[in-house]
Amino acid sequence: MSALPIPVFDGHNDTLLRHVMNEGTAKEVSFFSENERGHIDLPKARKGGLQGGLFAMFVPSKYDDTSGVPFDPEDPANFAPVDQPGALNFTNRMFSMARRWVRESDGQVVIAKSVAEARKAMSVGKLAMIMHIEGAEAIDKDLYALEVLYAAGLRSIGPVWSRKNIFADGVPMAFPSSPDTGTGLTDVGRELVANCNQMGVMIDLSHITEKGFWDVANLSTKPLVASHSNAHSLCPSARNLTDKQLDAVKESKGLVGINYHVAFLRDDGAHDVNTSIDVLVRHAAYLVDKLGEDGVALGSDFDGCLVPDAIKDATGLPKLLDGLKKSGFGDKLINKIAHENWLSVLERTGI
């Protein structure tokens, strides 16, 4: 009998978006049946040991597009502003999808509103979803929607994606590039951060500009967290964090979740799925050296990026963890990176 995979809590995926965008089309599939259309479904999660994670709700600029055309990072239309009422409605669709999964799962999927609930679910083999917004366009300037979404279970927010909104400016997916590409938090963005601190909602710094990062660092009383970013010193993408930023994350007792997107891992920035797990392990080792053993976790970006073929999808998580082991990471550290560090930083955030 083979050993059970190490439990994984993942910091970022776009699985809800994929299912909502495919709903009612020829690409629609069940979350409860293993299929080849995405990186995560419940059978894949079980095979790979994925037992929890931050499930992102991201509103694309073309959120009403059902053409099935792949996302083109070179198309400016994919970075156009999004209206708040439309973004809130689309976010509600993703929240509704998550609720339906819970209802239809016969108790195997839960929306966890606290770390204690997540730990309890994971301990008995259930999939614990902690709800996250990537880019806060769904939230109005008066933050009314924030209160309602929090009541529904929202516990994590990235104020901005890679486009400007009323809260902050986002970094482009540029290579090679510094993350210092635009402005920082607006006055409303500062109010959002302050309110999230008070409520126990994590602020995610992936996608924000370097100026925005420092604005949050100077304002927030909580750990600094980038849910799915890598080391800029190893891959000079605007989406990755500089050594100075990593120093600030460490000082705050924060965390960085390693992104599996090949263009954020490779030193040449290539969109090449023929990328070795060793490249990802190299980022892990660098981040552990900069942040310490408690500051590094996983932030796959499953269903939202190009994953190395060596991992492929959630079933490949044991291969990644085995790659860490073969590179000299001890069992205790691997368990921290796989799940414990995420749960601990969420607890330190007040969730």
Side-chain angles (χ1 to χ4, degrees), residues 69 72 111 180 189 216 225-226 229 256 287-288 292 312:
V69 176
D72 180 3
I111 292 176
D180 187 13
V216 174
V225 173
S229 296
V256 174
L287 291 171
V288 168
K312 187 181 178 183

Side-chain angles (χ1 to χ4, degrees), residues 110-125:
V110 301
I111 292 176
K113 295 184 179 181
S114 68
V115 174
E117 290 182 7
R119 287 188 187 278
K120 181 179 179 181
M122 293 172 66
S123 70
V124 293

Side-chain angles (χ1 to χ4, degrees), residues 7 14 16 29 74 83 140 142 150 177 181 190 209 220 223-224 227 243 262 275 299 303 316 325 341 351:
D14 286 298
L16 285 166
V29 292
E74 303 298 325
D83 64 297
D140 54 286
D142 297 305
Y150 178 85
S177 172
T181 60
R190 293 175 185 275
T209 62
S220 179
L224 300 178
S227 69
D243 285 353
V262 293
T275 297
D303 284 320
K325 190 175 183 68
N341 284 346
I351 295 172

Side-chain angles (χ1 to χ4, degrees), residues 150-217:
Y150 178 85
L154 180 69
R155 293 296 182 269
S156 175
I157 294 176
V160 66
W161 181 68
S162 292
R163 64 187 171 212
K164 200 166 191 173
N165 63 23
I166 65 170
F167 301 107
D169 198 359
V171 292
M173 298 179 195
F175 180 96
S177 172
S178 160
D180 187 13
T181 60
T183 58
L185 290 176
T186 65
D187 288 343
V188 182
R190 293 175 185 275
E191 291 180 20
L192 176 66
V193 171
N195 275 266
C196 287
N197 277 183
Q198 293 170 4
M199 296 168 72
V201 175
M202 189 183 77
I203 295 293
D204 178 17
L205 297 168
S206 288
H207 285 285
I208 203 165
T209 62
E210 187 170 3
K211 287 186 175 66
F213 175 98
W214 292 116
D215 285 343
V216 174

Side-chain angles (χ1 to χ4, degrees), residues 52-63:
L54 295 172
F55 277 69
M57 296 177 288
F58 166 66
V59 180
S61 292
K62 297 190 287 186
Y63 59 80

